[in-house]
Amino acid sequence: MSRTPVLRAAVVGTGHRAQLFTRGLAERPGHVVAALCDPSPTRMAFHNRLLTETGAPAATTWEPDRFTDLLAEEGIDEVVVTTVDAEHDRYIVPALEAGCRVVTEKPMTVDAGRCARILGTVRETGNSLTVAFNYRFNPVHEQVRALLADGAIGEVLSVHFEWLLDVRHGADYFRRWHREKRHSGGLMVHKSSHHFDLVNWWLADEPREAFGYGRLGFYGREAGERHGLRRDYDRAHGAERAADDPFALDLAADDTLRALYLDAERDDGYLRDRNVFDGPVTIEDDMSVLVRYARGATMTYHLTAYSPWEGYRVMFNGSAGRLELEVEESRWQPPPTRVASAAGAVHGDAAAEHPGGARLTLRPLWQPPVDVPLAVAHEAHGGGDPRMLDALFGPVGPDRPADTAATRPTATERDGALALAVGLAANRSFETGRPVRTDELIAG
């Protein structure tokens, strides 16, 4: 009887999000995490503990400057990239050139030059790049796509999409490296690429032009002082002024955050608990965008990063009616004396406090509205994470067959570039005050 070949994987970037992939690969037959790559030995040691806890062998550990040596010496077949966004291309390109299959966390990258480098390498090598857009695998989003594809509202003429991050989740982007646009591309790239990919996928269409306004109106030093929210400290750990600040993050109160970040500060000096009302902050927290698609549909999009509740509303207007989706991921946030942990609910990996419901309503022309039954999961990004892992790496075992929706095609480098294009065009429009064509930024 032939044995299933084992693919040797490298996980690059061993922060919080990477846990999903380290565990996911270790639990699946036919895969082994052979190598870890990160500037911090402390974080890599944490991920090796995750591996041994699943019964898998510990991986070798490598510094980023030796990534190409890692690929050759470890015989790597597949690479998962979960680094700071601006570093993605540093690993994607050599991994593709080495013949590896590559999976990268979203966004694919943060600017047009890096995107062109990645797309060029895919063309030259013919190798596979997948962008981990887990929202595609949320069962609710699958239902929306099926209804639109079946013509439930005819031709889609316009979309209104509002996404709200509450003051726990939204604030977290302003504590860490995401707060500097050079690292993350801003929320239009880092966060909204999820949403732009969804709309591209729902409409089966490509964005052509975007115009928008964005500002830093809630977080940052100036806004914090204007609204009376700012406390005078640089980072929360060890700061008396942070002790009763509901916006402060207590790294020492959570075992995972302590191990991944507080204990790792000696390795690279990275501070995970910066004051959200202090500088430097170069990203926006309130953004409005108008997008035009190739077949003529338009989308109005708004992202708020300081809302009392978390969730989203999407409305599709079509030639035969209207489809409305509203999801309350968290109905409200209590004012804690200190945010004890940014793990779980803050990252969407677990159910948020005070979850609400979801409603999907079909409103045909000349007929009564129809409430579409939904199966809603509030944890693991709406159930998207485990289904995405099944699609990427197969089911955990023979007793758990892959979800049929999870066997559908994953997002390619082209999908990653199209989602990025909207965010980059919006960012440029914020600066120039004019509409920006996506083909000015992303060729092809």
Side-chain angles (χ1 to χ4, degrees):
M1 188 170 94
S2 62
R3 298 182 63 184
T4 302
V6 175
L7 298 176
R8 294 174 61 79
V11 176
V12 188
T14 53
H16 186 277
R17 179 61 177 167
Q19 295 175 87
L20 174 77
F21 296 98
T22 298
R23 285 199 185 97
L25 286 163
E27 292 170 349
R28 284 167 166 78
H31 302 270
V32 60
V33 179
L36 302 169
C37 182
D38 194 279
S40 169
T42 304
R43 284 194 290 272
M44 289 190 287
F46 177 89
H47 277 256
N48 262 330
R49 290 194 293 274
L50 296 180
L51 290 173
T52 57
E53 286 169 6
T54 68
T60 59
T61 58
W62 295 76
E63 297 177 356
D65 289 344
R66 297 196 62 211
F67 179 64
T68 54
D69 296 333
L70 177 166
L71 295 175
E73 294 182 26
E74 296 291 344
I76 298 300
D77 302 296
E78 53 190 2
V79 173
V80 178
V81 179
T82 58
T83 64
V84 170
D85 299 343
E87 294 284 301
H88 285 183
D89 66 306
R90 177 182 177 185
Y91 304 100
I92 291 171
V93 168
L96 289 171
E97 291 173 340
C100 300
R101 177 210 182 189
V102 183
V103 174
T104 183
E105 255 299 335
K106 61 80 198 165
M108 188 171 75
T109 186
V110 299
D111 61 37
R114 289 178 171 93
C115 183
R117 182 176 181 230
I118 291 169
L119 294 178
T121 305
V122 172
R123 286 194 298 269
E124 291 164 9
T125 63
N127 290 327
S128 169
L129 174 62
T130 301
V131 183
F133 284 126
N134 53 3
Y135 279 143
R136 286 189 176 205
F137 297 93
N138 181 321
V140 173
H141 300 160
E142 284 273 355
Q143 287 179 268
V144 170
R145 188 172 191 265
L147 285 167
L148 295 175
D150 288 345
I153 61 169
E155 178 189 355
V156 179
L157 303 174
S158 66
V159 183
H160 175 70
F161 196 158
E162 178 185 29
W163 198 287
L164 301 109
L165 298 167
D166 66 31
V167 284
R168 179 170 296 186
H169 188 178
D172 205 46
Y173 295 108
F174 296 83
R175 299 186 185 107
R176 46 191 174 138
W177 56 263
H178 307 73
R179 64 197 257 151
E180 295 187 61
K181 194 170 284 190
R182 64 191 178 95
H183 294 314
S184 67
L187 291 179
M188 283 286 95
V189 169
H190 177 82
K191 183 63 181 175
S192 298
S193 61
H194 264 319
H195 315 149
F196 300 146
D197 176 69
L198 274 180
V199 177
N200 297 345
W201 179 66
W202 278 330
L203 299 184
D205 204 354
E206 298 187 357
R208 287 291 179 262
E209 189 175 57
F211 173 77
Y213 294 105
R215 65 178 298 208
L216 182 65
F218 185 82
Y219 301 104
R221 187 184 188 101
E222 181 182 340
E225 290 177 345
R226 188 170 70 248
H227 301 138
L229 296 171
R230 185 178 181 274
R231 309 286 184 90
D232 189 16
Y233 63 90
D234 177 53
R235 51 91 55 96
H237 184 67
E240 289 185 14
R241 296 299 305 276
D244 61 347
D245 183 359
F247 289 94
L249 175 65
D250 189 353
L251 292 174
D254 181 85
D255 291 341
T256 297
L257 292 178
R258 184 192 312 112
L260 283 174
Y261 300 109
L262 192 60
D263 294 348
E265 288 178 12
R266 61 180 178 265
D267 298 334
D268 56 10
Y270 171 57
L271 303 181
R272 176 65 179 78
D273 60 345
R274 299 291 301 276
N275 184 349
V276 301
F277 299 114
D278 205 357
V281 178
T282 58
I283 67 173
E284 300 84 7
D285 57 27
D286 194 292
M287 294 137 278
S288 299
V289 183
L290 176 63
V291 183
R292 178 176 59 83
Y293 288 84
R295 294 201 298 271
T298 57
M299 173 179 67
T300 54
Y301 173 84
H302 196 103
L303 177 65
T304 301
Y306 52 89
S307 171
W309 71 280
E310 177 137 329
Y312 49 104
R313 301 184 181 102
V314 194
M315 282 75 78
F316 303 86
N317 297 301
S319 60
R322 178 177 167 95
L323 185 64
E324 302 171 346
L325 172 65
E326 181 170 352
V327 178
E328 287 184 305
E329 294 184 340
S330 175
R331 297 181 62 245
W332 67 287
Q333 284 292 345
T337 55
R338 190 99 173 235
V339 178
S341 173
V346 163
H347 290 277
D349 301 331
E353 291 183 283
H354 312 294
R359 291 168 293 282
L360 182 60
T361 306
L362 175 63
R363 300 181 183 274
L365 294 182
W366 314 114
Q367 299 177 45
V370 177
D371 292 326
V372 181
L374 293 176
V376 180
H378 287 285
E379 67 281 352
H381 294 97
D385 280 346
R387 299 167 96 220
M388 180 185 71
L389 290 175
D390 283 352
L392 291 172
F393 308 116
V396 171
D399 58 336
R400 180 186 151 190
D403 189 296
T404 55
T407 63
R408 294 178 183 166
T410 52
T412 66
E413 73 284 346
R414 173 73 177 167
D415 299 316
L418 290 172
L420 175 65
V422 181
L424 295 182
N427 280 340
R428 182 169 294 184
S429 183
F430 297 165
E431 297 170 359
T432 64
R434 67 172 181 86
V436 177
R437 289 186 56 87
T438 57
D439 59 13
E440 295 178 22
L441 304 167
I442 304 297

